[in-house]
């Protein structure tokens, strides 16, 4: 029979999974290595299953260890959230909502939402950190942030599509259309009313963005029968637009990046049906400060012309 699982021991297991070794986990947690080994041994006894196995000079997680480590991150995140709620309820510190968001959201939706929140709740403060969706999810699971602002391309699946998000509380902020971006003086440049057809650009050179945006672009081109020739890759959407304007290639960019910055030398048109959904995620129902922030993110999202 499985014994009650101790939170400290779960925190140790999660650190081993995250860092890849007992030594690194001890350093991260500021524990002595024998103390980490002791906690892991006791956790294995509590679980009734082996959680680690020797691998060369180190250790690796068993199947049971991986399962428990994944759940430990969620449990610890929930406990940390509960502690913050209790602290706020007891008046130990002012309310605070911590948000992880991707760059184009930080440049568009988030400032408006923060301004709205501060106007409605002057006592609340907001902590912001820039993360692409996979890192934002990791921060959410570990309890480092209260809300993760992420995106997922909902009309196409690819190798970089995110995991099942059903374990999170999700609120849709907006549906962000994906645009074809070309140099304004290109013969095939979009004009008002133009409906893009990627097939006509099968011999063009392409400029790719972040890993997930690159995977989305490749998947969309593959869906119409060709593999794009990628000439440049950069996570910087300002650089993507500058390269396109200079005639170095064509690209696909979501609407928020074009709201954040628009180079005068580009032409754009939305791809029919191509959308990335921007969502605010929490682990369980959000605490009052996070709930207030999400409400203002929804309002700000509705106010973004795309």
């Amino acid at each position: 029979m499985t014994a009650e699982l101790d939170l400290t021991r779960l925190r140790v297991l999660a650190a081993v999974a995250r860092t890849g070794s007992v030594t690194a986990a001890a350093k991260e947690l500021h524990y002595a290595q024998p103390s980490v080994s002791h906690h892991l041994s006791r956790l294995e006894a509590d679980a009734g299953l082996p959680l680690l196995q020797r691998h060369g000079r180190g250790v690796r997680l068993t199947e049971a260890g991986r399962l428990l480590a994944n759940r430990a991150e969620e449990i610890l995140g929930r406990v940390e959230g509960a502690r913050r709620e209790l602290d706020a309820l007891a008046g130990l510190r002012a309310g605070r909502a911590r948000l992880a968001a991707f760059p184009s959201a930080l440049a568009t939706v988030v400032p408006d939402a923060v301004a709205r929140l501060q106007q409605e709740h002057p006592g609340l403060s907001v902590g912001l950190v820039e993360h692409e969706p996979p890192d934002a999810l990791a921060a959410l699971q570990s309890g480092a942030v209260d809300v993760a602002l992420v995106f997922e391309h909902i009309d196409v699946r690819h190798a970089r599509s995110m995991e099942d998000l059903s374990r999170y509380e999700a609120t849709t902020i907006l549906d962000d259309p994906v645009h074809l971006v070309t140099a304004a003086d290109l013969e095939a440049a979009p004009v008002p009313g133009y409906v893009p057809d990627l097939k006509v650009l099968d011999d063009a050179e392409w400029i790719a963005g972040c890993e997930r945006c690159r995977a989305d672009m490749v998947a969309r081109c593959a869906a119409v029968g060709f593999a794009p020739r990628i000439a440049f890759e950069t996570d910087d959407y300002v650089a993507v637009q500058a390269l396109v304007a200079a005639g170095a290639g064509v690209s696909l960019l979501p609407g928020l990046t074009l709201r954040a910055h628009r180079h005068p030398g580009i032409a754009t048109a939305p791809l029919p049906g191509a959308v990335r959904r921007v969502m605010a995620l929490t682990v369980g129902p959000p605490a009052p400060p996070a709930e207030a922030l999400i409400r203002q993110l929804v309002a700000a999202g509705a106010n973004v012309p795309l």
Side-chain angles (χ1 to χ4, degrees), residues 108-127:
T108 53
V109 177
V110 172
D112 185 19
V114 170
R116 292 168 180 266
L117 183 67
Q118 291 176 339
Q119 185 173 16
E120 186 179 68
H121 301 287
L124 291 184
S125 62
V126 180

Side-chain angles (χ1 to χ4, degrees), residues 3-306:
E4 182 176 340
L5 300 178
D6 179 83
L7 286 177
T8 298
R9 295 167 192 164
L10 289 176
R11 186 171 287 108
V12 169
L13 179 66
V16 171
R18 191 166 52 248
T19 62
S21 75
V22 171
T23 301
K27 184 176 181 180
E28 179 182 288
L29 296 171
H30 304 290
Y31 287 180
Q33 188 168 328
S35 177
V36 169
S37 299
H38 173 73
H39 281 303
L40 292 171
S41 296
R42 293 293 301 273
L43 184 59
E44 284 191 323
D46 292 343
L49 289 168
L51 304 176
L52 300 166
Q53 61 185 21
R54 294 208 168 276
H55 181 66
R57 300 181 64 182
V59 295
R60 65 182 176 188
L61 297 180
T62 63
E63 182 179 0
R66 290 192 298 273
L67 184 151
L68 187 56
N70 288 337
R71 291 293 179 259
E73 292 282 12
E74 296 178 27
I75 292 166
L76 293 168
R78 286 176 180 267
V79 170
E80 179 62 24
R83 284 176 176 159
R84 289 194 302 273
E85 290 182 51
L86 288 172
D87 285 347
L89 186 62
L92 297 178
R93 61 187 180 203
R96 180 173 173 83
R98 299 168 303 163
L99 173 70
F102 53 95
S104 60
L106 278 173
T108 53
V109 177
V110 172
D112 185 19
V114 170
R116 292 168 180 266
L117 183 67
Q118 291 176 339
Q119 185 173 16
E120 186 179 68
H121 301 287
L124 291 184
S125 62
V126 180
L128 301 175
V129 61
E130 180 182 310
H131 278 320
E132 291 292 348
D135 292 332
L137 282 182
L140 181 64
Q141 289 174 352
S142 70
V145 299
D146 308 299
V147 182
L149 196 60
V150 303
F151 63 83
E152 181 71 314
H153 297 98
I154 60 174
D155 62 305
V156 65
R157 298 290 295 176
H158 49 71
R160 295 291 178 178
S161 293
M162 284 196 297
E163 62 182 275
D164 179 15
L165 299 178
S166 61
R167 70 171 80 175
Y168 305 102
E169 297 278 337
T171 302
T172 297
I173 304 303
L174 60 92
D175 284 342
D176 190 13
V178 177
H179 294 251
L180 171 66
V181 184
T182 74
D185 58 359
L186 188 71
E187 186 177 346
V191 295
Y194 172 76
V195 178
D197 180 3
L198 296 185
K199 290 180 184 178
V200 304
L201 296 168
D202 60 353
D203 61 347
E205 292 194 321
W206 290 75
I207 301 166
C210 70
E211 283 189 6
R212 297 183 69 238
C213 295
R214 180 187 191 279
D216 173 69
M217 184 182 77
V218 170
R220 293 188 189 283
C221 292
V224 296
F226 73 95
R229 296 203 316 273
I230 297 174
F232 300 96
E233 295 184 55
T234 173
D235 291 351
D236 186 344
Y237 54 81
V238 176
V240 170
Q241 293 184 41
L243 287 166
V244 169
V250 299
S251 190
L252 299 180
L253 285 176
L256 285 182
T257 66
L258 298 169
R259 292 297 305 172
H261 169 81
R262 187 180 181 94
H263 194 290
I266 64 171
T268 67
L271 290 178
V275 169
R276 69 171 187 176
R277 178 156 293 165
V278 178
M279 298 167 285
L281 305 182
T282 60
V283 177
E291 184 178 21
L293 174 60
I294 291 170
R295 187 167 60 250
Q296 296 306 335
L297 285 168
V298 171
N303 209 36
V304 175
L306 295 170

